[in-house]
Amino acid sequence: YTEAKSKGLLSKKEDDAAHMLMKMLGSSLDITSDDTSDSFADLDEGMSYEDGEFDEDDNEDDEETIKHHEKPSAPVLDAVSQLKTDLHDSPYNYDVKDIPINKDAKEAYEQTAKNIHMLTANLTKQIKEIKVYNEGGKNNGLLTGKLDKKNLHRYKTNPNIFYNNTYKVKEMDLAFGCILDESGSMSGDGVKNGRIVLIMLQEVLNALGINHSIIGHTSHGHHHCVIHKYYYFKEEHQHSIAKPYQLINIQAHSGNCDSGALYYMESLMKTVHNRDKIVIIFSDGEPTECTDKELKDQVRHMEKNGIHVIGVGINFTNIKEYYPDNANGKNLKEMTDIVVNILKRYVLEKKGV
């Protein structure tokens, strides 16, 4: 603490909190003085341990821990702490909310999932059959196999004119981030269709064990983002929900700050350890609480940093103005087809990754 204080690494709130704690403990310790070690020793002697004895072995363990944290290397943050750190200096103001689950939501989700079960089951089966994707190669100079017509003239002197294809197997290593526009204009069919498509997407990704996160976003002012968390990446340590029943509670709210929602998902993606990272953002209109330039710049920034962004319009033809990789669905059938094609393109055929 003293080292951090001397280097100016503490905020005023942290500094004030330390002083308040010392006052509560009855210490007049001056953290800027040179005799801090003696002062902490005095403070330690005055402490009581009502829940158990404080023995010398425990004290030694604590000293080792303190010495470890005093090493120059920075401590490794967990995903949640890393996310908070990354968002601290962002140009956006975030209000992140978990959506509560109730009995009605669970029953409604299960009914919706049942209605689309045939589609999700067939798609899941297709992808499971190709749980790996391949990088092709060619093995030449064989006695049997496919005929290499280019070497047919050499047959009399060298009969090894056959070949076959070889494959280097690479396991899928994907992370999907799904973002849904929850602005006021999504009311009606927009929310209804978005809900069904996300449930379909979640059912398939969950069945395949593909790491993914699902969020919704709205806004109450310029550069303000309300983030609704529906499903968590495994690295967030809150990935204990078997199914995101909260998805059934998706609603239309106010404005939309799309660049801020993408910034948030990018920060989440930084905590994810998968090799290939893909973000699908569903939108029914232009951003209201960020500029067009900010949105386009954010998409370019993510692409540059290895996160591929796909814009899916919900009856929004101008989606192509913001996302180079885009598609537009006018109704539920078209939106469902788009999502199926995305999964096939990036999971089955690995194109574009």
Side-chain angles (χ1 to χ4, degrees):
Y1 176 87
T2 306
E3 182 180 356
K5 172 68 177 178
S6 65
K7 293 182 178 180
L9 300 178
L10 299 177
S11 66
K12 186 177 185 303
K13 286 185 178 180
E14 292 169 332
D15 196 12
D16 292 343
H19 279 291
M20 183 172 291
L21 175 61
M22 293 164 193
K23 288 181 180 179
M24 291 171 63
L25 294 173
S27 171
S28 59
L29 176 64
D30 178 9
I31 62 172
T32 61
S33 63
D34 295 330
D35 58 345
T36 53
S37 58
D38 294 335
S39 298
F40 272 114
D42 295 338
L43 181 62
D44 214 17
E45 291 177 1
M47 296 180 68
S48 62
Y49 298 86
E50 298 178 357
D51 294 333
E53 295 296 328
F54 180 75
D55 55 41
E56 293 181 2
D57 291 338
D58 288 338
N59 191 30
E60 289 176 1
D61 290 340
D62 288 345
E63 288 177 358
E64 290 178 2
T65 302
I66 292 172
K67 290 178 182 178
H68 172 73
H69 285 297
E70 288 176 349
K71 292 180 180 179
S73 59
V76 178
L77 300 176
D78 60 33
V80 176
S81 299
Q82 181 61 53
L83 175 63
K84 291 180 179 179
T85 300
D86 195 48
L87 295 179
H88 178 73
D89 296 325
S90 78
Y92 305 99
N93 179 30
Y94 291 97
D95 184 8
V96 182
K97 298 181 179 181
D98 290 314
I99 307 300
I101 302 175
N102 54 47
K103 182 180 179 180
D104 292 339
K106 181 177 179 180
E107 292 177 355
Y109 179 98
E110 294 291 1
Q111 184 59 49
T112 303
K114 182 179 179 180
N115 293 340
I116 60 174
H117 173 72
M118 187 64 69
L119 175 62
T120 57
N122 288 339
L123 183 57
T124 301
K125 182 180 179 181
Q126 289 181 54
I127 299 175
K128 278 186 174 180
E129 289 174 351
I130 309 179
K131 186 69 176 177
V132 296
Y133 54 78
N134 306 306
E135 293 180 345
K138 191 174 182 180
N139 192 10
N140 296 303
L142 303 178
L143 284 171
T144 60
K146 296 180 179 180
L147 177 63
D148 188 350
K149 294 180 181 179
K150 292 182 180 179
N151 292 319
L152 187 59
H153 63 283
R154 299 177 181 175
Y155 180 73
K156 290 184 178 180
T157 57
N158 183 6
N160 297 343
I161 60 171
F162 297 89
Y163 74 95
N164 62 26
N165 291 320
T166 59
Y167 299 93
K168 179 181 179 181
V169 177
K170 184 190 292 184
E171 292 187 3
M172 288 192 302
D173 191 9
L174 301 170
F176 273 90
C178 308
I179 306 173
L180 179 66
D181 179 357
E182 293 181 310
S183 60
S185 58
M186 283 283 290
S187 60
D189 287 343
V191 165
K192 179 182 177 181
N193 294 342
R195 182 189 299 127
I196 294 173
V197 168
L198 282 182
I199 290 176
M200 182 197 74
L201 189 57
Q202 196 280 331
E203 287 286 308
V204 174
L205 295 176
N206 198 46
L208 293 171
I210 294 177
N211 199 12
H212 63 286
S213 176
I214 302 175
I215 67 171
H217 75 100
T218 186
S219 177
H220 299 308
H222 183 67
H223 279 194
H224 175 261
C225 289
V226 179
I227 302 294
H228 295 136
K229 297 299 295 290
Y230 294 110
Y231 203 68
Y232 300 88
F233 282 124
K234 295 175 182 178
E235 287 82 359
E236 294 181 81
H237 306 300
Q238 301 178 58
H239 198 267
S240 58
I241 304 172
K243 292 184 179 180
Y245 297 114
Q246 312 98 308
L247 281 172
I248 211 70
N249 293 324
I250 289 174
Q251 299 178 15
H253 297 278
S254 301
N256 56 302
C257 182
D258 299 66
S259 60
L262 285 170
Y263 186 101
Y264 184 89
M265 183 58 75
E266 180 187 15
S267 298
L268 278 180
M269 282 288 191
K270 290 179 181 178
T271 70
V272 172
H273 305 108
N274 301 90
R275 180 183 60 245
D276 300 324
K277 301 176 181 181
I278 302 165
V279 172
I280 307 173
I281 180 167
F282 298 87
S283 176
D284 77 328
E286 298 159 348
T288 63
E289 305 303 336
C290 67
T291 66
D292 289 359
K293 183 180 184 302
E294 286 173 329
L295 176 52
K296 294 175 182 178
D297 287 347
Q298 178 62 32
V299 172
R300 281 193 291 266
H301 177 77
M302 293 174 71
E303 294 284 353
K304 183 179 179 181
N305 286 280
I307 303 174
H308 184 57
V309 183
I310 306 170
V312 178
I314 302 176
N315 200 19
F316 176 41
T317 56
N318 281 344
I319 192 79
K320 61 181 178 293
E321 299 295 326
Y322 303 97
Y323 306 96
D325 192 352
N326 65 83
N328 179 51
K330 296 178 181 179
N331 50 50
L332 180 59
K333 173 65 168 60
E334 291 185 4
M335 288 181 61
T336 301
D337 290 343
I338 289 169
V339 171
V340 169
N341 288 333
I342 289 173
L343 289 173
K344 287 184 176 180
R345 176 160 50 125
Y346 290 97
V347 178
L348 289 176
E349 301 173 11
K350 78 172 180 83
K351 291 181 180 179
V353 178

